Structures are given as C-alpha cells and as structure tokens.
C-alpha cells in the first residue's frame, strides 16, 4: 500500500512520505539513478518493508531532517584534467585514453589550465574564498575503473572554500510566494573522474571503459543546511543553472555530467544530529528529491521502531588515508596585486581578471527580467528553467509590440505546454520566435480574438511554412471589424431569444454569457467577445 | 609484473639522447623495480661485476686462495642500476642511464669503478622513469669519466612540459672547465659519516682525498649534518609509502602480467600482484600500506616528512656556511662476493649500503661518485661529492679535477686487452670517447 506524497513542505522542517512502487524499491543503480549507502556502483536498497500509512504517521511531528550534498560536475573542457586526451560524451569505448589515463608506468600528470579557470570561476560565482595556494592529493582505493589505484583530488587544501548558494523555494497557495534560502558551500575541489565499469552478469565479466577516466571534475560540497528533498533538488537545480551560465560545466544529469551524493540524518529538534547515511550517485533530477525523502522516512521509521541507523559506507571506505601527490607542485594563483612582474600570462592565472570577466548569473538575469519587463518572480524562474526558453522569449519580445505580460503568458503557458506535451526541447520547436511574434502582433492589433489565436497556433505547430496571416485568411478567422454589422447581429439575437433577455434583465449573471455565446455562434466566432458584451450591455440598458 | 610489456612511448631522457644521434644498444638488468642495493633481485637473475674477471682482481686472488673455481665467487655490482654500471665498466657502451632514489646509480658506480652521477631533483625529466619514490627519483648517468657525464647531462637537463616537477629553464649543452686552482674551494667533511661499519680501506682513501684537496690549497673543514642518524628510518617510511602508492597501478588490467584467475576482480588483483611482484617489492608495499593507514598517517608519514625537512635543512645550513662541496665515501667497502651478499636480506642490505647516499635524495641535491683507487683486493673504491642544488656544473668541475689527480686505472679485462692493447698503452684514463 503506497502512502500519498506531500508537497509544499513547511519551512525548516520538511517531511514527505514518498510514493514508492515496487520497481523503484528494487531499483538497479543505473536505471533509477540512485544507490543507497553500500558499495560504489552497486545498487543497495534498505531492506525495509513498506509500512502502512498509519504506522508511519506515528510521532511524525517530532522529527527534523538534515541534508548535505556532494555534487560532482564534469568540467566543460576540451581535454582531461591531467592529460591531453579529449573529452567527449558517448565516444567508442576506450577511444579517448592517453598513456597517463591508462596508468602506464612512467607517465606523469600535467595540470589543465582551463580546468583551473573553471574552478576559479565557479568559486567566485558561489561567493567562495579562492585559495591562492592549493594542493593535490592521492586518494587510494582499488576498483577496476581506477587504473592507477588512486584518484588525484584536493583533500588537504582545495582551490575554493566558504561560499554560499542562494536558491528560492516556492511556497504558499499555488506556490506564489517565493522564499530565498541559502546553503553554505564548504569547499570546491578539483579531482579526476573515474572510468566506467559495466557488469555483465550473464558472462560473469566486467567491462571497463576508460574514456571518462581522468576527466576533470569540480566537487562542490554543500553543508547540511537543507532539510528535505525539495530543498536539495532546488539547490542542485540552481547550481546547474549557474554552472551552465558560467560555461564551466554542461551539468546535464542524464549524461552523467552532474552527479549528486546526499548525506542524510534525522533528529528531534533541540537534540544532537543523528547518524548520517549516504545516498549515492543520484543522476536524475526527478529522482533526487524522492530518494532523499524516502531515506528520511526510512530513518524515521527505523528510529521509531527502536532500531539504530547504521552508516554502511564506512565499511567500504578504504582504510588508506590520503598522500600528497608528489608529481604536482602546489597550485599557485595570483591576483593583480600579487602578480609577479614580467610573468608569462600563459603560465599564471589572475583571479581578478576572471572575476571581471564572469558572465551574468541566473539570479542577476532573473532580476533584470523582472525590472525590464515587469514579469512576476515565479515567471522569471520558469523562463530560466528550460534550456533555450529565455532566448526564445527575448527574441519574441524583440519582434512584437504586444505587452511583455502577454508574451510571458503565451510563452510559459501555451508554447511551453505544447513542447511538454510532445516532449520537445525549445530548439526542436516548429514555431520560431518570429512566427510567434507575428501571431502576437495580430492579436495585439485585435485582428483576431484570443480563441482564434490559439487555433492559429495549433495550425502553425502542425504545418510548417505557413505564416500566421496566411492561416488567418485561409480559415477566415479575422475579427469582425464592422461594428454596425455586429450591432445588428446582437439586436437580432436578442430579438430571437426574449426569454434569455428577460433573464439577463432580471440580473442573472449567466444569462448574458448565453447571449454572447449565441452571438458568437452566429458570427462564426469572428467577433471579439469583449466587444459583444459591451454592445449587448449597451443595447440591454437602452 | 611487466614481463612482455613493451612501452608504447619513449622516456624524455631516452628521446633526447636519440634526438642527438645516440644509438640505443639495449636495456640493462636491475633489481626488480629498482628496489635493492646489489642488483641481485631481478627477474633475469643477478648481475656480475666485470671486475670479478679483471686482471687486477684475479691476480690478487691467486695469491690468497688456490684451486677455487674461477667463476663461483664472482662479485656483485651493487645496485639497483647494476646492469648499467656493468655495461659501462666493461666498455660495452659510451654511457648508460640508471635511476637514483637512494643511491642506486652511485652505489654500483663505486663498485664498478666508474662515474655515477645523480643530478639535482628537477633538473632532468622523470617522464618515462617508472617511479619508485616520486619525490626522490632522478634518472642517473653512468660513464667512464666525468667529461662524458657532463656531455650526457648537457643533453638531458632542462624543462620538460610532461614533467611538472622540472625546472622552467630550457637547459643547454655545456663544456666543463678544467680547474687548475682549487684554493678558493671549501670542502666539507661531514663528521656523522664516519661510522664504525666503514671499512678501514675506504676510510683511508677518504682521508687521503681530503688531504689531497688541502695540499693543493683548498680549505677542508669538518662539518656536521646532525640529523644523519635519522635518515635511514625516515627514508624507509617515505620510500615504502610512496612505493605502496605507485605500485597500486599494477593490477594486471591494462597492461603487463595478468594471472589466470577470473573468479572476481579482487581475486584477480590479489593473484596477479602475488605472482608479478617478488618478495622485496611485496614487502615494501605492505610496509607502505601500513604507514598510509589513516590511524598511522600522522605518526609515521607526516612525522617522516618533517624529519626529511630537517635533514634537507642540515645540508642547506652547511652550504650556507661557505662550503662548496661535501666529500664523503660512497659505499662502506668494495664490492663483496654474491654468495656473501645474499646472506642478508634485501632490506637489511639496503639499509646498510644506502647510508652515505640516501640523504642526498631526500634533500634533492646533486651528487657524483668518482672512482679513486683500487683496494687491496684489486677492486674499485669510489668517493662521493655532494653539491648545492642546481650547481651540478660546479660539482662536476670539482669531480673532474679530482679524477685527474687520482688517475684511477683502467680495468684490465683479458678480451679487451687482446683487442685494443694499443689504446691502453696510450691512455691511462678510462674514457675511450671524445678527447679534447
């Protein structure tokens, strides 16, 4: 029996009973996108029987959850972090592997400048302090997809620390109220990605693809300032948008460019924090919130039943510590004040210059939209939430005289609705911004009615090549411009339906709509309902 | 572990030599993964010191023992780069490359009567050098005379973008000047290096060398490197830790030996590594893993790093006080017979034999072993000069002067003598290469 999902959680204390069906409970790592605790790459689900709704509601008011995140973002660079092999998604297996990536003896790491710049940009965008000196370490563990037996990372002294990420949660009725929350960023570090291993159970073998081994990653560690799956998912979404705006990572979760591990614990408010468990390798935005909430609920259930929370990752945590990476000297960054005189610009990185050249961040973009076009905050979020949608919107605005509010409404409701229904991306839309702009112009000039416009839009979507004006004239959708003729029609309809007229005069609010409907029918929907109403009211009162 | 492995690329040092027209004659034997001080623990068997067959040694032995099988008591070369030392010593090539992490180039050079040069850390690229201890390894140069070593260094030294620990300067070939006046030189003799285990012969040569400098006008003073006694232990902690880390990549997956077991990845790793590594290597990996354990890391690894800093500072302080070059023994004694050497295990031997050489690696300094004279048994003894960081040229200049003074004899190998007797009549010095 499944329990209902609750949304719109209370601030500061968030609990949700996740809706679980049997397939997701026994999910394999790759398919559903999450593994809980346990070994890397293997799926491990808490062996917890699904509780009935009644049982899980016991004592629910007394719990608070605490969620921290470790986010791995693949850096958008041409070559890997320490070697010159290329970075490409979905290339043939083991076709992008240099001698260093394959850990051939005698090969040495050489740091990729672009990756360092990406780390600095991201650190600055997240209000971090950039460490002018940072160090590289080796983290040892044995796994088939880690050829060297260790990963080069930055444990002791990472490149950026102590930042913050602001995100907004929509609450209240119809999620109209926007609240800004902040999560602290503990650190950002550069590290190597591992290869991929595919377990072929049928033939009892493991296939290793090293294309991804050595690709540069930014690990962003978010402190446990979040309290539920929704907050975590929103924070991740905002980070995604920031990374995409900076160009430092494409941050596409489906392609594995953004991976999230969550640390979750529950406690009673006022008491110390509980034992943490890790939910690893979340690579689907949709599943992230649900998986976290499920784990929160699982812990609550365990504790309420008198059990203890076990941190299973500890057992896998390979016991070797970190060792400094001896082949890489400390990474030194400069600002304008500390830049050595006569330094070769190819060999040094100036933090100040990078700060100056930072592109506009999503929060700034949203603010500008609100200021410039007077749209609502939640609409500014929606516009940035879809790839290419903002650009589409801005292109439409450029070519139309219609009000921004109108454009927003059309883009977010009708246009986006059509896209979603057909599972298309913005760049796959058959309707271009110019075409939509033309349509809106017709609407703005009152050449057609709102209803007619929607019809035209549907037609535009189906058949390419036709302009809105063409469709309008083909289907004779122009609004009647002749007001006198309309007055005659109204008069005729009133004459033909005296009972309805009586009702209207008696004050029945719905009666007038009936009259309007009748007039529209006669005019084949070519009259503007607002004008019809005006004429009828004038005629009724006379 | 690397049986049958053919590397798909050239090390930078090899490539630079090839680019200058060098002819690569072959690869030489060594202790497995350069772990050892005898060149006795390689997969292809132990290396024999050419001096075992020299007239100088044989004649001395005839006087002592009778009716002994000529070949049964051959001598070790020292190690770990013993094969390279033997090759140069036996006139098979102009020069050979070795590695030096704790003395692996200088030690066999001393035992084989040739020049063994360890450059400053960061001067010569390690790209292509299978790492033992990344923070201490350097490629070593083995030649028959100091000028030849300088020639090779001139080709090899300088920035390599593929090795992030090399210096920025590009480096260029140079000629060693011939020092005539050593009166401005200050030679330091570290008192802690006078250990009881030092053979009286080597001690005597060391003393004579110091006197030689003094009599030619140089200032010779006793100096102190106070942390010397800690260096062996410190070296072993850091060395085994880095080894454990560097050897983690040998899992049989991507290259090299892979065992037949395919039950699971873990089982495959375990069997491959057991089969592919000898006891010495496995021992060091286990030790290193111990030191790298989270609960041990601070007490062992970090402490050893701190001690390393102290040791390096000892040298800095001495050089800052006006000393140009340090003079020490290279080895405790001359080469010993193989049968005697193997009575102790590898680790014990390494601890003993590295005593004069490994502190230099921890400090990253340049050092060179120069053959000084033959022992009573007719075997070569070498002495070591240690220089300031990146003053390799100056160091070699001093070494060249010393080499000219001592006139170390050419090895008399019967086969060579038969072929090139005329050469040896004219030349007393060891090099049969370019002569100014």
């Amino acid at each position: 029996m499944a329990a209902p999902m609750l949304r719109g959680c209370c601030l500061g204390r968030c609990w949700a009973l996740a809706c679980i069906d049997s397939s997701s409970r026994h999910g394999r790592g790759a398919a559903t996108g999450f593994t809980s605790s346990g070994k890397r790459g293997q799926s491990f689900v808490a062996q917890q029987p699904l509780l009935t709704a009644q049982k899980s509601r016991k004592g629910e008011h007394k719990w608070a959850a605490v969620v921290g995140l470790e986010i791995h973002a693949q850096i958008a660079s041409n070559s890997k972090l320490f070697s010159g092999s290329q970075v490409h998604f979905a290339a043939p297996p083991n076709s992008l592997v240099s001698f260093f990536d394959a850990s051939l003896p005698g090969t040495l790491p050489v740091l990729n400048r672009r990756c360092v710049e990406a780390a600095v940009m991201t650190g600055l965008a997240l209000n971090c302090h950039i460490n002018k000196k940072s160090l590289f370490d080796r983290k040892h563990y044995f796994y088939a997809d880690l050829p060297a037996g260790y990963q080069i990372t930055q444990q002791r002294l990472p490149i950026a620390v102590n930042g913050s990420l602001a995100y907004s949660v929509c609450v209240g009725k119809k999620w109209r109220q926007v609240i800004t929350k902040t999560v602290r960023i503990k650190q950002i570090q550069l590290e190597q990605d591992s290869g991929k291993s595919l377990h072929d159970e049928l033939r009892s073998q493991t296939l290793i693809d090293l294309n991804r081994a050595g690709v540069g990653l930014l690990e962003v560690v978010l402190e446990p300032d979040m309290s539920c799956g929704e907050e975590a998912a929103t924070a991740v979404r905002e980070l995604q948008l920031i990374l995409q705006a900076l160009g430092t990572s494409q941050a596409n979760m489906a392609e594995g460019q953004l991976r999230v591990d969550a640390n979750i614990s529950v406690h009673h408010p006022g008491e110390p924090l509980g034992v943490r468990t890790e939910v690893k390798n979340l690579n689907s935005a949709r599943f992230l919130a649900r998986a976290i909430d499920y784990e929160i609920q699982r812990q609550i259930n365990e504790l309420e039943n008198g059990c203890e929370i076990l941190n299973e990752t500890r057992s896998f945590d390979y016991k070797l510590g970190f060792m400094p990476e001896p082949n890489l000297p400390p990474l030194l960054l400069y600002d304008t004040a500390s830049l050595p005189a006569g330094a070769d610009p190819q060999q040094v990185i100036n933090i100040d210059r990078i700060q100056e050249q930072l592109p506009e961040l999503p929060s700034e973009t949203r603010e500008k939209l609100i200021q410039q076009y007077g749209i609502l905050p939640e609409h500014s979020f929606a516009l940035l939430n879809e790839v290419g949608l903002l650009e589409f919107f801005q292109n439409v605005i450029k070519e139309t005289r219609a009000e921004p509010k109108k454009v927003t409404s059309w883009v977010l409701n009708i246009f986006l609705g059509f896209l979603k229904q057909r599972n298309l991306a913005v760049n796959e839309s058959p309707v271009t911004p110019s075409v939509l702009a033309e349509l809106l112009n017709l609407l703005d000039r009152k050449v057609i009615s709102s209803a007619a416009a929607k019809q035209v839009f549907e037609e535009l979507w189906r058949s390419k090549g036709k302009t809105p004006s063409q469709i309008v004239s083909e289907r004779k959708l122009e609004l009647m411009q002749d007001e006198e003729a309309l007055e005659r029609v109204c008069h005729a309809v009133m004459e033909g339906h005296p009972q309805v007229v009586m009702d209207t005069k008696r004050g029945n609010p719905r009666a007038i709509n009936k009259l309007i409907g009748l007039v529209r029918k006669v005019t084949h929907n070519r009259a503007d309902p607002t004008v019809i109403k005006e004429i009828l009211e004038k005629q009724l009162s006379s | 572990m690397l049986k049958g492995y053919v590397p798909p690329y050239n090390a930078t040092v090899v490539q630079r030599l090839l680019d200058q027209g060098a002819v690569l004659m072959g690869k030489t034997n060594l202790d497995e993964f350069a772990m050892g001080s005898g060149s006795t623990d390689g997969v292809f068997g132990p290396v024999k010191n050419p001096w075992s067959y020299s007239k100088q040694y044989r004649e001395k032995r005839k006087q002592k023992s009778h009716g002994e099988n000529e070949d049964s008591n051959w001598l070790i070369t020292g190690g770990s780069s013993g094969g390279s030392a033997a090759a140069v010593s036996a006139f098979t090539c102009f020069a050979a490359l070795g590695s030096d992490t704790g003395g692996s180039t200088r030690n066999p050079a001393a035992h084989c009567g040739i020049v063994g040069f360890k450059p400053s850390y960061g001067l010569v690229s390690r790209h292509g050098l299978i790492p033992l201890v990344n923070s201490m390894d350097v490629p070593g140069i083995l030649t028959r005379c100091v000028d030849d070593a300088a020639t090779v260094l001139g080709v090899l030294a300088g920035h390599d973008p593929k090795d992030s620990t090399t210096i920025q300067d590009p480096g260029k070939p140079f000629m060693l000047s011939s020092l005539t006046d050593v009166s401005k030189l200050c030679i330091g003799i570290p008192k802690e290096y006078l250990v009881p285990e030092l053979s009286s012969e080597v001690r005597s040569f060391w003393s004579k060398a110091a006197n030689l400098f003094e009599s030619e006008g140089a200032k010779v003073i006793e100096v102190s490197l106070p942390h010397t006694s800690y260096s062996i232990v410190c070296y072993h902690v850091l060395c085994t830790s880095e080894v454990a880390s560097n050897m983690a990549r040998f899992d049989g997956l991507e290259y090299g030996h892979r065992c037949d077991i395919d039950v699971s990845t873990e089982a495959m790793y375990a069997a491959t590594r057991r089969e592919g590594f000898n006891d010495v290597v496995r021992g060091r990996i286990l030790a290193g893993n111990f030191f790298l354990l989270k609960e041990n890391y601070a007490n062992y690894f970090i402490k050893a790093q701190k001690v390393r800093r102290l040791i390096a500072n000892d040298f800095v302080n001495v050089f800052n006080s006006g000393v140009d070059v340090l003079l020490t023994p290279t080895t405790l004694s001359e080469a010993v017979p193989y049968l005697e050497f193997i009575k102790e295990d590898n680790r014990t031997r390494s601890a003993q034999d590295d005593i004069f050489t490994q502190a230099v690696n921890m400090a990253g300094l340049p050092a060179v072993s120069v053959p000084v004279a033959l022992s009573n048994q007719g075997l070569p003894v070498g002495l070591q000069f240690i220089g300031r960081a990146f003053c390799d040229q100056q160091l070699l200049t001093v070494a060249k002067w010393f080499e000219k003074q001592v006139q170390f004899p050419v090895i008399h190998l019967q086969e060579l003598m038969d072929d090139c007797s005329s050469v040896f009549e004219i030349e007393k010095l060891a090099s049969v290469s370019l002569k100014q």
Side-chain angles (χ1 to χ4, degrees):
Chain A
M1 195 194 311
M5 166 113 81
L6 287 170
R7 300 190 109 265
C9 24
C10 327
L11 297 173
R13 192 187 69 225
C14 190
W15 42 270
L17 305 169
C19 183
I20 310 288
D21 58 24
S22 56
S23 61
S24 62
R25 189 157 76 85
H26 298 292
R28 294 176 150 269
T32 53
F34 104 90
T35 54
S36 161
S37 311
K39 293 197 175 198
R40 229 168 63 86
Q42 296 176 20
S43 57
F44 176 100
V45 178
Q47 299 305 307
Q48 183 68 11
L50 211 48
L51 295 172
T52 62
Q54 280 143 327
K55 221 177 174 181
S56 36
R57 280 207 185 103
K58 182 176 83 176
E60 61 202 1
H61 298 292
K62 292 186 279 169
W63 293 102
V66 157
V67 179
L69 298 176
E70 281 166 24
I71 301 171
H72 293 90
Q74 265 189 13
I75 300 175
S77 60
N78 289 332
S79 54
K80 297 186 180 178
L81 183 56
F82 294 116
S83 71
S85 31
Q86 296 231 307
V87 179
H88 271 311
F89 181 67
N94 292 313
S95 60
L96 304 170
V97 184
S98 68
F99 297 143
F100 174 76
D101 302 330
S103 79
L104 292 194
T107 53
L108 300 167
V110 181
L111 186 55
N112 179 332
R113 186 205 169 94
R114 159 68 184 154
C115 291
V116 179
E117 287 173 352
V120 174
M121 280 174 76
T122 307
L124 291 171
L126 294 172
N127 309 305
C128 295
H129 167 76
I130 306 292
N131 280 329
K132 293 222 188 82
K133 173 171 157 180
S134 59
L135 305 169
F136 289 99
D137 305 295
R138 294 184 180 181
K139 178 177 172 184
H140 300 90
Y141 58 94
F142 278 105
Y143 205 74
D145 61 16
L146 197 65
Y150 58 83
Q151 174 200 35
I152 301 180
T153 176
Q154 291 188 300
Q155 182 63 21
R156 286 172 293 155
L157 200 54
I159 191 166
V161 291
N162 297 336
S164 64
L165 170 65
Y167 61 97
S168 301
V169 198
C170 293
V171 290
K173 260 194 200 164
K174 296 187 187 179
W175 298 299
R176 274 288 154 80
Q177 204 192 348
V178 169
I179 305 241
T180 306
K181 308 202 108 196
T182 312
V183 53
R184 289 167 298 154
I185 293 182
K186 182 171 177 216
Q187 64 190 56
I188 299 178
Q189 61 201 57
L190 282 165
E191 58 183 36
Q192 291 175 305
D193 207 346
S194 64
K196 275 200 195 137
S197 48
L198 305 159
H199 302 289
D200 181 355
E201 302 291 349
L202 205 59
R203 294 187 200 82
S204 293
Q205 59 185 8
T206 302
L207 306 166
I208 317 281
D209 176 13
L210 294 179
N211 282 350
R212 203 182 66 181
V215 170
L217 290 179
L218 290 177
E219 176 170 330
V220 182
V221 183
L222 302 185
E223 299 276 24
D225 295 340
M226 294 158 285
S227 56
C228 64
E230 169 112 15
E231 291 187 358
T234 313
V236 168
R237 181 79 189 106
E238 187 64 14
L239 180 64
Q240 244 182 337
L241 292 173
I242 291 175
L243 291 171
Q244 287 164 353
L246 292 173
T248 51
S249 171
Q250 287 166 42
N252 181 334
M253 285 184 94
E255 289 185 6
Q257 291 157 348
L258 193 77
R259 281 164 257 153
V260 182
D261 297 343
N263 296 308
I264 300 155
S265 74
V266 299
H267 64 283
H268 294 295
E271 287 181 21
L273 297 182
V275 174
R276 270 178 14 186
T277 58
E278 252 191 290
V279 176
K280 293 181 83 72
N281 287 330
L282 297 158
N283 60 6
S284 150
R286 254 178 306 148
F287 213 78
L288 203 157
R290 297 171 94 194
I292 291 174
D293 289 336
Y294 178 76
E295 176 62 15
I296 290 172
Q297 191 53 49
R298 183 191 78 85
Q299 288 196 15
I300 292 174
N301 293 338
E302 290 272 306
L303 291 169
E304 286 188 340
N305 286 330
C307 306
E308 272 184 20
I309 304 295
L310 295 170
N311 189 325
E312 277 105 357
T313 38
R314 286 275 183 261
S315 61
F316 177 66
D317 215 0
Y318 201 77
K319 295 191 181 71
L320 283 194
F322 292 85
M323 192 187 93
E325 170 55 69
N327 292 318
L328 291 168
L331 175 57
L332 299 175
L333 303 172
Y334 302 93
D335 51 28
T336 314
S338 62
L339 205 58
D344 181 4
Q346 292 288 80
Q347 290 293 322
V348 295
I349 287 184
N350 185 341
I351 301 171
D352 290 337
R353 288 228 49 214
I354 295 182
Q355 174 86 67
E356 287 161 26
Q357 291 168 348
L358 276 186
E360 189 177 271
L361 296 178
S363 49
E364 289 171 63
T365 312
R366 285 185 209 115
E367 198 51 44
K368 276 195 187 168
L369 285 173
I370 296 171
Q371 299 298 334
Q372 196 174 356
Y373 303 119
I375 60 176
L376 295 171
E378 69 253 32
H379 292 158
S380 74
F381 276 93
L383 279 174
L384 259 64
N385 220 26
E386 195 71 30
V387 176
L389 190 61
L390 178 62
E391 208 185 317
F392 188 92
F393 170 81
Q394 284 167 328
N395 287 338
V396 173
I397 289 257
K398 259 190 255 177
E399 297 186 38
T400 182
R401 266 164 300 158
E403 262 190 29
K405 288 219 173 90
K406 197 92 191 161
V407 179
T408 310
S409 171
W410 266 83
V411 168
L412 287 180
N413 298 328
I414 300 167
F415 175 68
L416 198 57
F418 266 73
L419 281 179
K420 289 300 177 196
Q421 252 184 7
R422 292 152 184 78
N423 213 11
L424 293 171
V426 172
N427 61 7
E428 292 169 320
S429 157
V431 175
T432 67
S434 316
V435 166
L436 181 57
E438 199 189 315
L439 178 60
L440 292 175
N441 281 341
L442 291 175
L443 186 58
D444 188 57
R445 282 178 7 228
K446 296 203 195 298
V447 172
I448 50 173
S449 71
S450 192
K454 290 192 182 115
Q455 277 184 289
V456 175
F457 188 77
E458 231 187 88
E459 178 76 33
L460 282 169
W461 200 280
R462 272 198 308 267
S463 44
K464 291 187 206 173
K466 287 197 194 158
T467 69
S469 310
Q470 279 177 327
I471 299 174
V472 165
S473 58
E474 271 175 27
R475 308 240 296 222
K476 299 195 198 309
L477 292 169
E478 303 95 331
L479 282 175
M480 279 177 72
Q481 301 298 344
D482 188 347
E483 197 152 317
E484 275 184 17
L486 190 57
E487 280 174 8
R488 283 201 292 276
V489 172
C490 289
H491 191 79
V493 163
M494 283 192 348
E495 298 247 302
H497 298 86
Q499 188 57 38
V500 189
V501 175
M502 286 279 274
D503 290 340
T504 316
K505 284 195 176 160
R506 274 202 217 115
N508 186 343
R510 275 195 294 234
I512 192 156
N513 287 337
K514 202 162 177 207
L515 282 175
I516 295 173
L518 288 165
V519 172
R520 287 182 77 187
K521 216 167 151 191
V522 169
T523 59
H524 302 287
N525 262 332
R526 291 180 59 192
D528 188 345
T530 342
V531 178
I532 299 174
K533 194 173 183 194
E534 276 173 23
I535 297 173
L536 284 172
E537 283 173 347
K538 199 168 72 180
Q539 291 183 351
L540 284 165
S541 58
S542 65
Chain B
M1 182 62 78
L2 290 176
K3 189 172 182 179
Y5 171 74
V6 178
Y9 70 100
N10 287 338
T12 298
V13 290
V14 171
Q15 192 58 51
R16 286 186 179 181
L17 287 172
L18 294 176
D19 289 344
Q20 293 302 316
V23 175
L24 181 66
M25 296 183 64
K27 294 191 181 183
T28 53
N29 202 355
L30 71 162
D31 279 312
E32 182 169 315
F33 282 112
M35 298 188 204
S37 59
S39 301
T40 54
D41 284 321
V43 149
F44 301 106
V47 184
K48 295 180 181 176
N49 192 329
W51 283 86
S52 313
Y53 310 98
S54 69
K55 195 170 174 192
Q56 289 106 324
Y57 177 64
R58 290 267 166 94
E59 278 176 353
K60 293 279 164 88
R61 279 198 72 76
K62 269 197 199 126
Q63 296 160 12
K64 290 179 193 168
S65 53
H66 309 275
E68 205 185 60
N69 185 338
E70 282 209 346
D71 197 31
S72 66
N73 219 17
W74 52 269
L75 308 152
I76 59 160
T77 51
S80 59
S81 301
S84 289
V88 171
S89 170
F91 280 85
T92 59
C93 58
F94 165 71
L97 294 178
S99 68
D100 196 312
T101 305
S104 295
T105 292
R106 293 161 282 156
N107 176 298
H111 286 317
C112 294
I114 58 172
V115 171
F117 175 62
K118 176 210 171 291
S120 299
Y121 182 88
L123 188 60
V124 177
S125 170
R126 290 182 297 113
H127 171 76
L129 173 65
I130 299 183
L132 181 59
V133 183
N134 287 286
S135 61
M136 298 187 205
D137 295 341
V138 293
I141 299 172
L142 296 140
T143 55
R144 283 184 290 275
C145 70
V146 176
D147 269 328
D148 290 349
T151 306
V152 176
L153 181 65
V155 168
L156 298 185
H159 179 66
D160 183 11
K162 295 185 189 139
D163 178 352
S164 306
T165 58
T166 54
I167 50 168
Q168 291 298 314
D169 296 336
K172 56 184 196 289
F174 59 94
M175 292 261 280
L176 284 181
S177 53
S178 291
L179 206 55
T180 45
D181 172 23
V182 294
S183 59
K184 296 200 187 65
L185 217 53
C186 177
I187 308 288
I189 310 285
K191 66 181 188 194
E192 289 85 2
Y193 281 42
L194 185 60
V195 294
E197 297 85 1
L198 185 60
S199 81
S200 52
E201 270 194 292
V202 177
R203 185 169 152 181
S204 148
F205 288 136
W206 187 18
S207 191
K208 283 186 185 155
N211 291 338
L212 171 66
F213 275 101
E214 204 160 39
S215 67
E216 292 294 318
K219 187 168 155 199
V220 180
I221 56 171
E222 187 188 74
V223 296
S224 174
L225 299 170
H227 296 92
T228 300
S229 57
Y230 304 115
S231 73
I232 287 275
V233 177
C234 174
Y235 174 78
H236 272 272
V237 172
L238 295 177
C239 175
T240 51
S241 301
E242 284 220 31
V243 161
S245 176
N246 289 331
M247 296 295 150
R249 67 186 57 211
F250 295 110
D251 52 17
L253 261 178
E254 297 86 9
Y255 51 84
H257 170 68
R258 192 199 282 207
C259 69
D260 290 327
I261 295 180
D262 56 3
V263 161
S264 72
T265 317
E266 285 77 18
M268 191 272 280
Y269 280 174
T272 296
R273 287 164 72 82
R274 192 175 8 97
E275 289 170 17
F277 289 140
N278 71 11
D279 286 348
V280 177
V281 176
R282 291 212 307 274
R284 292 203 192 186
I285 293 174
L286 284 170
N289 280 334
F290 175 79
F291 298 133
L292 288 178
L293 286 174
K294 280 185 184 156
E295 60 255 31
N296 292 333
Y297 185 73
N299 282 336
Y300 289 94
F301 188 83
I302 295 198
K303 282 267 164 65
Q305 292 275 47
K306 292 182 179 176
V307 174
R308 179 180 178 176
R309 171 69 62 193
L310 292 174
I311 292 169
N313 282 347
D314 279 356
F315 285 99
V316 169
N317 292 337
V318 160
F319 286 125
N320 279 348
S321 69
V323 171
D324 296 304
V325 161
L326 294 169
L327 170 62
T328 78
T330 309
T331 57
L332 289 168
S333 69
E334 78 254 298
V336 298
Y338 173 73
L339 291 174
E340 193 184 310
F341 183 80
I342 56 172
K343 284 182 188 161
E344 299 275 8
D345 66 77
N346 183 299
R347 192 179 166 289
T348 311
R349 285 295 185 202
S350 298
Q352 294 165 343
D353 301 332
D354 286 348
I355 191 169
F356 300 118
T357 49
Q358 36 92 314
V360 165
N361 295 85
M362 289 213 278
L365 299 172
V368 60
S369 177
V370 180
V372 56
L374 293 180
S375 69
N376 284 336
Q377 290 194 75
L379 293 174
V381 171
L383 290 176
Q384 173 179 239
F385 294 94
I386 305 171
R388 291 170 205 246
F390 301 109
C391 293
D392 299 52
Q393 201 170 331
Q394 185 198 34
L395 176 68
L396 288 172
T397 308
V398 174
K400 179 174 167 172
W401 179 88
F402 181 74
E403 173 187 67
K404 190 162 180 208
Q405 300 299 314
V406 299
Q407 301 272 306
F408 180 82
V410 175
I411 184 174
H412 285 192
L413 292 170
Q414 194 60 44
E415 296 75 10
L416 280 177
M417 289 187 69
D418 293 342
D419 292 338
C420 333
S421 49
S422 57
V423 174
F424 293 112
E425 274 161 18
I426 301 165
E427 311 290 349
K428 276 287 178 68
L429 274 179
S431 175
V432 288
S433 61
L434 336 153
K435 230 22 197 150
Q436 280 96 303

